[in-house]
Amino acid sequence: MRKLLIFSPYMPPHTGGLESHVEEFAFRLAEHGVSVTVFTSDLGSRSGVEEKSAGLTYVRYPAF
């Protein structure tokens, strides 16, 4: 299984073009069997590990 780590400063629920693009890209890769982990800030959400769907995980770190 392929694994991919994406570093993104923001992810939903924070809104914007970067967030939308990275989320869609990650979902599509996960649909095709790639295990995707997105390392992002916790702005608008809680810190910790969040399983979004099969093969897609968000790791949120504390930020301000």
Side-chain angles (χ1 to χ4, degrees):
M1 173 184 279
R2 292 183 192 192
K3 295 181 180 182
L4 180 67
L5 175 62
I6 299 173
F7 292 90
S8 179
Y10 309 107
M11 287 298 288
H14 191 273
T15 57
L18 172 69
E19 297 86 334
S20 300
H21 178 75
V22 172
E23 185 173 50
E24 183 68 24
F25 181 66
F27 274 123
R28 298 290 179 178
L29 286 172
E31 287 176 352
H32 288 87
V34 178
S35 176
V36 180
T37 301
V38 180
F39 190 74
T40 187
S41 66
D42 67 351
L43 298 176
S45 191
R46 292 186 0 219
S47 295
V49 178
E50 180 181 348
E51 185 77 28
K52 293 301 281 186
S53 67
L56 178 56
T57 305
Y58 289 175
V59 177
R60 296 183 184 269
Y61 62 89
F64 57 90

